[in-house]
Amino acid sequence: MESYQWEGLTDGYKERMRRLALFDGLYDLKRSRDEDVNQVRIDLYGLGLLSLLFFFEHKLLRSNRAGKLELAEYIKHVTTGKYELSAKQEMVLATKLVETFRPPGGKRKEVEFYNWDVGTDETISFSILKDNGFDAETGRQFYTLDEDGIELIFATKEFYSEYQLSINQLMIRKQLEKGEYSSALRQINEMRINVETLRDRMTKLKHEVLRNIVSEDTFERYKKLLGDIRFRLTRENEEFVELENFVHETRTRLFEKDYHLESPKAYSYILSITKELESVHNEHSKLLTESQVLINDTLVAAQQSLYYMGVEAFNFKQDIVLPIVNKPLPLETMKGVLHPFFKLPHADIWSPLAVLEAQSFRDERADSAEETFMKVDDQVVDSADQLMLKEHFTEYMNLLMEAVGEGVHSLAEVIEGIRGTELEGFLERRTFYHFWLYVHQRSPIRFVDEFKDEDEEIKTFHEVFRQLGRDVLTVIEEKETIRATTRYTIQNITFTITKGVDEDAV
């Protein structure tokens, strides 16, 4: 692998180490072994984060009186029911938490590390808490969050990942303005990772919607969530368009100034940035489309399942009859209860405007018999069409029985199995598709049940299903659609043949 591919990998290494060092105080607290009066280990790691949030809340409220005593009161409040602490332990914990983020001497915390970017040993310093006033009468010291402490709080906030794409877009624009083309290209690659992460989240959200919607409240909550996602993706897409226009303008300006001749490497970066940005924008646009599909299909499907759950849970006797019988309702009220169960009135009305509708001048007598499906009924075989239909159905029934014998149980597999064989001509016959519609309509089919009353009337397909005997043919409709030929399309079905019971022997 060429070495130039690793250029820029260590850019900003010192700043990344500084951000990691901000968490050192929390990790120190995680290693503590403090216990309450019942010898239960205290989660100082969690209390450390709560302490930072405590001081952050005071900063938001512009309160300058937040010290160890106030923190001890907060610890007492938040640990009630979890730990049993004495007043002394509460104060000890408050002191330990403050001193972890603010050393007693007031000196900033320091971390030594090797800077792989410049190849030297360096030291970084930071301060989470800082002094914020002193009460001379009581001798109490107050504290507030320093800039590094605020950055640590924001680093744990969820919106950092939620708006990461927008942040990256702003950073790319600034880097291009400063001429940091390699950093901008790296930032675009990070955007690609963010888009992939967002796609994984949307996939999980799709499953959550179908699995968790069990009430109208949850449906409305997910509807609002998906609407927010759609809005954010739309805004990010607009920012992508603006960023692409900015990149195009930058490339055009550099080309006009012959910058591509003076610095070919930087100009090649611009070309790579244009290509990669278009690729990421394309993936992001797919997410925008998927979000709309998620709203239109998944959310509607979940709402329909919620409706059918209510229909299945509805009990007419319990929900309608018993309330009317147990506590007689007034006549007007009973009309309102029963009205949804009445049939809609039907009226045949002819409108004079019907004479203005489009009229068909097609001669029905000129239609070819092959343009429509043949009529299948249970009348006596008295025509050449019915005889041909019976012959075709027998061939298709043989094909079905052979398919079941070979372990095939779906129409899609049957169609794929006869492609390229001498039976492929079946796919061009209209009767082939009519046969599957017929068995689906009559399912379940058993020869003895369907045709045992032979003395009453000779059935058209008496012999077609003789192969079944007492076995039962069951056909179930599937959702997928099969395009057998350019002319015919049919919905897929599955079929099974189960052993029947000899009723005479029972």
Side-chain angles (χ1 to χ4, degrees):
M1 185 175 294
E2 299 294 338
S3 60
Y4 71 87
Q5 295 186 7
W6 303 113
E7 291 183 4
L9 184 64
T10 58
D11 290 349
Y13 183 81
K14 181 177 181 179
E15 181 62 23
R16 294 180 186 272
M17 287 299 299
R18 191 187 70 81
R19 293 177 183 273
L20 289 176
L22 297 179
F23 291 86
D24 282 359
L26 291 174
Y27 294 141
D28 292 340
L29 292 172
K30 191 173 186 178
R31 291 188 288 267
S32 300
R33 293 292 186 270
D34 295 70
E35 298 178 346
D36 65 356
V37 296
N38 296 324
Q39 282 73 50
V40 177
R41 184 180 174 185
I42 301 174
D43 177 22
L44 282 181
Y45 181 65
L47 288 180
L49 179 58
L50 290 177
S51 300
L52 294 176
L53 295 174
F54 169 79
F55 287 108
F56 182 68
E57 186 68 17
H58 275 271
K59 194 173 188 67
L60 292 177
L61 298 175
R62 299 180 181 179
S63 173
N64 296 324
R65 299 184 63 85
K68 297 178 182 179
L69 182 60
E70 289 76 14
L71 180 58
E73 289 293 328
Y74 175 70
I75 292 174
K76 177 182 178 181
H77 166 75
V78 78
T79 58
T80 302
K82 176 65 175 177
Y83 304 117
E84 186 175 348
L85 301 173
S86 63
K88 182 179 178 180
Q89 282 181 310
E90 293 168 358
M91 196 63 192
V92 169
L93 289 178
T95 302
K96 183 172 184 177
L97 291 170
V98 169
E99 291 181 353
T100 299
F101 299 114
R102 175 67 175 175
K107 185 179 179 181
R108 295 170 63 91
K109 298 195 66 172
E110 295 183 348
V111 174
E112 296 181 356
F113 71 103
Y114 181 78
N115 191 339
W116 293 95
D117 187 16
V118 297
T120 59
D121 292 318
E122 294 189 12
T123 301
I124 54 178
S125 62
F126 56 91
S127 173
I128 305 297
L129 289 179
K130 65 179 180 179
D131 297 338
N132 191 36
F134 180 78
D135 190 343
E137 296 181 0
T138 59
R140 293 173 54 201
Q141 179 71 54
F142 302 112
Y143 305 92
T144 187
L145 287 177
D146 205 343
E147 293 181 2
D148 295 323
I150 295 176
E151 184 175 350
L152 174 57
I153 290 294
F154 283 151
T156 63
K157 200 170 180 63
E158 184 180 3
F159 72 79
Y160 255 65
S161 59
E162 183 178 350
Y163 295 100
Q164 193 62 45
L165 273 177
S166 298
I167 295 172
N168 284 339
Q169 289 169 339
L170 292 175
M171 292 182 64
I172 291 173
R173 180 183 288 268
K174 292 298 181 182
Q175 288 166 342
L176 290 175
E177 291 176 352
K178 295 180 179 180
E180 299 176 358
Y181 303 122
S182 60
S183 300
L185 181 59
R186 187 169 193 81
Q187 202 72 36
I188 292 176
N189 292 329
E190 292 183 6
M191 289 174 60
R192 185 187 301 278
I193 297 175
N194 292 329
V195 171
E196 294 174 355
T197 303
L198 187 56
R199 172 174 280 105
D200 294 339
R201 291 179 181 174
M202 290 182 61
T203 302
K204 293 179 181 178
L205 182 60
K206 177 180 179 180
H207 298 314
E208 287 182 10
V209 169
L210 295 175
R211 182 174 61 250
N212 295 337
I213 291 187
V214 294
S215 67
E216 194 67 25
D217 292 338
T218 56
F219 171 78
E220 291 298 330
R221 181 164 57 85
Y222 276 110
K223 181 179 179 180
K224 183 179 183 302
L225 176 61
L226 291 174
D228 293 341
I229 292 176
R230 171 73 177 175
F231 174 77
R232 179 160 58 90
L233 290 175
T234 302
R235 188 189 68 247
E236 290 173 351
N237 184 68
E238 294 173 354
E239 293 173 352
F240 263 117
V241 174
E242 294 178 1
L243 184 58
E244 284 184 333
N245 292 335
F246 181 78
V247 172
H248 178 72
E249 293 173 359
T250 302
R251 185 181 65 177
T252 303
R253 184 176 66 255
L254 295 179
F255 185 80
E256 291 175 350
K257 295 180 179 180
D258 294 334
Y259 191 75
H260 63 291
L261 300 177
E262 299 175 3
S263 182
K265 185 175 182 180
Y267 191 75
S268 66
Y269 272 126
I270 288 290
L271 297 179
S272 299
I273 288 172
T274 304
K275 178 181 177 181
E276 293 299 324
L277 186 60
E278 290 178 353
S279 176
V280 176
H281 185 195
N282 181 52
E283 294 298 322
H284 187 272
S285 299
K286 292 179 181 178
L287 284 183
L288 186 59
T289 303
E290 291 175 7
S291 68
Q292 189 61 49
V293 173
L294 194 62
I295 295 175
N296 294 343
D297 296 344
T298 307
L299 199 60
V300 172
Q303 187 180 32
Q304 291 177 350
S305 66
L306 182 63
Y307 166 75
Y308 285 110
M309 285 172 57
V311 171
E312 293 175 359
F314 175 76
N315 187 301
F316 185 84
K317 180 178 180 182
Q318 179 178 350
D319 298 332
I320 301 298
V321 177
L322 291 182
I324 296 177
V325 175
N326 293 343
K327 45 183 179 182
L329 300 176
L331 183 60
E332 294 77 8
T333 305
M334 290 184 62
K335 288 182 179 179
V337 173
L338 297 176
H339 186 75
F341 302 96
F342 293 155
K343 291 184 177 179
L344 295 175
H346 178 72
D348 291 328
I349 300 175
W350 180 81
S351 172
L353 296 178
V355 299
L356 303 177
E357 294 181 354
Q359 303 295 318
S360 175
F361 297 97
R362 181 170 54 88
D363 187 358
E364 296 183 357
R365 294 174 299 176
D367 290 348
S368 172
E370 285 297 318
E371 294 301 322
T372 58
F373 281 111
M374 296 181 181
K375 294 183 178 180
V376 181
D377 52 29
D378 290 330
Q379 302 300 322
V380 179
V381 179
D382 57 359
S383 67
D385 288 341
Q386 293 289 2
L387 288 174
M388 181 193 69
L389 196 59
K390 177 182 177 182
E391 179 181 355
H392 285 184
F393 272 36
T394 303
E395 294 176 347
Y396 307 148
M397 187 62 192
N398 293 335
L399 178 63
L400 188 150
M401 297 295 292
E402 293 176 3
V404 173
E406 296 174 357
V408 176
H409 295 284
S410 71
L411 177 57
E413 293 175 304
V414 171
I415 292 177
E416 289 299 322
I418 65 177
R419 291 189 190 277
T421 67
E422 58 183 3
L423 301 180
E424 189 174 7
F426 286 176
L427 303 180
E428 299 297 331
R429 295 181 182 177
R430 188 184 303 274
T431 56
F432 178 75
Y433 307 94
H434 203 176
F435 169 78
W436 296 104
L437 296 177
Y438 181 80
V439 295
H440 175 262
Q441 180 185 11
R442 300 291 295 267
S443 175
I445 300 176
R446 187 166 68 166
F447 177 80
V448 176
D449 292 339
E450 296 288 328
F451 308 106
K452 65 181 179 182
D453 298 327
E454 297 178 18
D455 296 336
E456 297 179 6
E457 188 176 14
I458 301 176
K459 307 294 182 178
T460 302
F461 303 109
H462 177 271
E463 298 296 329
V464 172
F465 299 97
R466 178 176 292 277
Q467 301 179 57
L468 291 174
R470 298 186 181 277
D471 295 343
V472 179
L473 171 62
T474 304
V475 179
I476 301 175
E477 179 184 4
E478 299 293 335
K479 293 183 178 181
E480 64 173 318
T481 300
I482 309 170
R483 188 169 186 82
T485 64
T486 56
R487 185 180 182 186
Y488 295 111
T489 301
I490 188 171
Q491 200 159 347
N492 190 24
I493 60 175
T494 57
F495 48 84
T496 55
I497 297 180
T498 57
K499 295 295 182 182
V501 180
D502 192 342
E503 297 179 353
D504 298 335
V506 176

